[in-house]
Amino acid sequence: MNDYSAFGNLSFGKGVRSIFACLLIVWVGKVWSLDEAGHVVILANANDPESVEIANHYAGKRNIPAVNIIALPMPDKETISLREYVEFLHNPLLNVLIQKEWVHAVKAKEWDFTGRERVSVGLHRISYLVTIRGVPLRIANDPEQIDPSLSTVPDQFRVSNASVDSELALLIGPENLSMTAFVPNPLFENAGPAMVRPERVIRVSRLDGPDVDSIHRMINRTLTAEAEGLAGRAYFDTGGPHALGDKWIRSSSELARNAYFDTDCETTNRSMDETDRFDMPAIYMGWYQQHAYGPWIQPGWPVPPGAIGFHLHSFSAATVRSVSNGWLGAFIKQGYCATVGNVYEPYLEYTHRPDILLRALLAGRTFGEAVMLSNPVLSWQGVAIGDPLYRPFKVDLNTQLQRTENKPSRAYVFLRAINRLEAKGEADKSLMFAQARYEDEPSLPLIDKLVRLYIKCGKQEKAIKVLKTLRSVDVFAVDEVILAKGLADLLGELGERRDALSLYKKLIHRKGLSTAQQIALLGDGAELAHNANVEKLFLEWTTRAEDLDSGKGASD
């Protein structure tokens, strides 16, 4: 991904005609804002039965009227030509929306350079347009369809490729908008002078992924999270190729901390992976790996309902049907419910801003609102996957605390409550609350939090007593291995090396560890064994770690 901040204010000469003088200056969006679900329009591929089935499933779950589903025949492939976009999506959808009175428009007399039907005057009453798996994802570049009137545009922006959803957002935009390069988004949080009036922008989100079951699961788990509140930890990974991207992700981590999430932030140039703590990732934001890896593709890695995943890469959404290429398909398969990415090279300044996205969600906005607020440009490369009606923070922390009974994520709700008390300077209450929750139902996250609170206030003996309860734990979930390793390290630091080694043995003997996890456990375990004068174990684990590192040992 390249940083072209110098082009931040380019408008590419795309003006907008003043044609609204005779219209009411009232955004019809204010009319449907109280009934967003009733004004969601769902677009499916009539040639793909699964696309129509997903559309019906989503409409039923969200009480969206069945008449709001529009099924058009279109190519059943992710990448289409610009001509196919115009023929099968743009023109047919525009006419259906006008016919069904979702759009009130005066059509222009002539088609534009690419063959699109355009409108001279247009307003709509659509809260969100939701594209369903089966609707093409992206438009390939066509050198013959580069707008000749934009000859002064820098070469890197003189392309006609884009995400389908980003083009549909400007379906009723002014008739003189070109498909070459991009158009500044008037709904972007820091938008400057607008080339397009906000009321002519359609907010678009997509329900897509590697398979139908993953999409159904995403829809269902989104509703669970909205009803119960998002619970888990927050993880952020900086160290990308440009300082600006790191700044965005650091700002996002501060937002999570200020919302009292237990938060980890990788700040070195190494990439966060399965050797880092990564239990219950409610929020993950990082960059700059081309393809998902580690805990984002490892089968069975627990992800809480409603989880938000973001990995900044130029081609993170080049396909969403693969779990090995890019990121968005892997996110959805793994259980994340809200994510954004790029179908082609967007350049850093023109991709979604993770900090703005997270800030909007924490403020109680829907995913669809947050996506549009965080996206600086349209007619470009951005795509968002997730239910646009999803409000991750519709339920506040106090309400979550009242609803924790029998919830598998309750320990993480308690962590936020503990962090909130600490942030308010109530350390004694924080410790008392942690003690009470631990005594009610001990769990690894609560043990970790309570032990660190004890150490912080100088109560090492109590910390050791709690840590020694781990002697009765024999099985650790895949996402608890590194958390348990951290507790073993604490035992060693507190002088309890024998108990620490015992815990390391359990972890090292666990089946299903990746090579990276095995090397990390064996290497640190060997150092602990050496410090505890257990030389036989030191030699054994050192040799095994070296064999694995050289490729001689067992593979993943």
Side-chain angles (χ1 to χ4, degrees):
M1 177 171 292
N2 297 297
D3 181 358
Y4 277 94
S5 58
F7 296 106
N9 295 317
L10 281 180
S11 65
F12 303 135
K14 300 177 183 176
V16 58
R17 295 167 55 189
S18 299
I19 56 178
F20 286 87
C22 60
L23 296 176
L24 292 174
I25 309 177
V26 177
W27 186 4
V28 292
K30 295 183 183 296
V31 176
W32 49 249
S33 62
L34 297 178
D35 181 26
E36 286 189 312
H39 288 81
V40 170
V41 173
I42 304 172
L43 177 62
N45 186 346
N47 293 333
D48 181 354
E50 290 182 340
S51 181
V52 176
E53 192 277 327
I54 295 168
N56 286 321
H57 177 81
Y58 174 61
K61 289 292 185 178
R62 277 297 189 181
N63 296 317
I64 297 168
V67 295
N68 292 21
I69 299 174
I70 298 173
L72 298 175
M74 60 187 78
D76 186 13
K77 53 187 179 180
E78 284 193 294
T79 304
I80 56 174
S81 68
L82 189 148
R83 292 189 181 277
E84 286 176 315
Y85 166 76
V86 171
E87 178 181 354
F88 294 104
L89 279 111
H90 184 99
N91 290 346
L93 181 59
L94 176 62
N95 283 288
V96 170
L97 291 177
I98 292 174
Q99 177 188 349
K100 292 180 176 291
E101 298 186 343
W102 286 108
V103 169
H104 298 279
V106 176
K107 292 176 72 173
K109 295 180 180 180
E110 298 178 354
W111 295 352
D112 72 3
F113 173 75
T114 60
R116 292 178 299 172
E117 292 186 71
R118 306 299 292 160
V119 297
S120 297
V121 178
L123 292 172
H124 71 88
R125 59 187 187 93
I126 301 168
S127 59
Y128 301 104
L129 173 64
V130 181
T131 53
I132 302 295
R133 185 181 196 271
V135 174
L137 174 70
R138 61 181 194 161
I139 303 165
N141 186 50
D142 185 348
E144 295 184 359
Q145 295 293 322
I146 302 300
D147 193 333
S149 68
L150 300 180
S151 59
T152 60
V153 171
D155 289 343
Q156 65 269 24
F157 298 112
R158 295 193 73 248
V159 293
S160 60
N161 59 24
S163 86
V164 165
D165 295 2
S166 192
E167 292 293 351
L168 291 177
L170 294 173
L171 189 73
I172 64 167
E175 59 188 292
N176 59 342
L177 286 181
S178 172
M179 289 184 71
T180 299
F182 58 73
V183 177
N185 177 12
L187 299 180
F188 178 55
E189 186 182 65
N190 299 319
M195 296 164 55
V196 181
R197 293 175 66 98
E199 62 267 30
R200 297 187 73 165
V201 173
I202 299 173
R203 299 181 295 188
V204 186
S205 189
R206 174 173 288 260
L207 297 177
D208 208 336
D211 53 68
V212 175
D213 288 345
S214 296
I215 300 168
H216 282 180
R217 183 175 178 234
M218 170 177 60
I219 294 167
N220 298 341
R221 282 160 53 87
T222 292
L223 294 172
T224 298
E226 189 169 290
E228 298 178 357
L230 183 61
R233 299 184 83 241
Y235 300 89
F236 300 88
D237 190 1
T238 59
H242 300 291
L244 183 60
D246 278 348
K247 179 182 177 182
W248 294 345
I249 294 177
R250 281 196 301 271
S251 297
S252 301
S253 70
E254 288 304 312
L255 290 168
R257 285 192 181 94
N258 291 339
Y260 313 118
F261 275 94
D262 226 36
T263 300
D264 286 348
C265 190
E266 169 56 52
T267 59
T268 69
N269 287 329
R270 65 171 289 272
S271 295
M272 182 180 286
D273 60 21
E274 69 269 39
T275 65
D276 295 284
R277 181 178 176 181
F278 203 70
D279 50 300
M280 286 292 279
I283 302 168
Y284 162 73
M285 291 183 169
W287 73 324
Y288 187 73
Q289 293 290 329
Q290 185 173 1
H291 304 301
Y293 62 96
W296 300 278
I297 61 171
Q298 187 170 337
W301 196 284
V303 174
I308 302 161
F310 173 89
H311 192 92
L312 181 58
H313 189 275
S314 298
F315 302 96
S316 58
T319 174
V320 299
R321 297 193 178 185
S322 172
V323 297
S324 57
N325 293 326
W327 278 86
L328 269 61
F331 274 141
I332 300 306
K333 184 69 174 180
Q334 197 73 317
Y336 291 82
C337 292
T339 184
V340 295
N342 308 292
V343 298
Y344 296 105
E345 172 63 74
Y347 299 100
L348 185 60
E349 286 273 340
Y350 307 112
T351 189
H352 291 90
R353 286 275 302 274
D355 50 342
I356 297 176
L357 179 78
L358 185 56
R359 185 184 304 116
L361 293 174
L362 287 167
R365 293 182 181 268
T366 65
F367 178 62
E369 288 178 296
V371 165
M372 191 59 74
L373 283 169
S374 63
N375 189 8
V377 292
L378 301 172
S379 186
W380 200 231
Q381 317 305 347
V383 64
I385 296 183
D387 179 355
L389 297 172
Y390 175 38
R391 296 181 189 271
F393 300 99
K394 182 178 180 180
V395 175
D396 64 19
L397 179 54
N398 289 334
T399 305
Q400 280 185 292
L401 286 167
Q402 296 169 7
R403 300 177 180 176
T404 57
E405 187 175 359
N406 298 323
K407 297 293 189 303
S409 60
R410 56 190 171 275
Y412 295 89
V413 177
F414 297 150
L415 293 187
R416 281 188 72 194
I418 293 166
N419 292 338
R420 181 171 64 179
L421 288 168
E422 277 202 291
K424 292 183 177 181
E426 300 180 40
D428 290 342
K429 288 185 179 180
S430 175
L431 181 58
M432 291 174 60
F433 184 84
Q435 287 172 325
R437 300 289 74 77
Y438 162 74
E439 290 168 3
D440 287 344
E441 188 174 348
S443 63
L444 253 60
L446 281 173
I447 289 173
D448 178 83
K449 177 62 74 173
L450 178 58
V451 164
R452 294 181 189 279
L453 288 175
Y454 277 143
I455 293 172
K456 190 175 181 178
C457 63
K459 299 180 180 180
Q460 280 80 1
E461 291 300 319
K462 288 191 174 183
I464 292 170
K465 183 179 179 180
V466 172
L467 285 169
K468 288 196 173 202
T469 63
L470 293 172
R471 288 181 293 195
S472 62
V473 181
D474 294 319
V475 180
F476 298 93
V478 62
D479 65 325
E480 292 179 335
V481 169
I482 301 304
L483 170 56
K485 176 183 179 297
L487 295 173
D489 291 337
L490 282 176
L491 270 168
E493 291 169 13
L494 292 171
E496 303 296 324
R497 291 170 180 163
R498 294 287 175 172
D499 281 321
L501 279 175
S502 177
L503 184 49
Y504 258 98
K505 289 177 183 178
K506 294 177 185 179
L507 295 171
I508 287 170
H509 291 150
R510 186 193 186 280
K511 293 183 179 180
L513 296 174
S514 71
T515 299
Q517 288 175 321
Q518 291 179 65
I519 292 172
L521 286 166
L522 289 165
D524 289 351
E527 182 178 352
L528 179 64
H530 178 67
N531 293 335
N533 296 315
V534 185
E535 293 304 313
K536 182 178 179 181
L537 203 55
F538 164 71
L539 292 172
E540 177 190 340
W541 286 355
T542 299
T543 301
R544 287 177 59 185
E546 290 173 349
D547 286 347
L548 284 169
D549 199 29
S550 65
K552 296 179 182 178
S555 59
D556 292 2

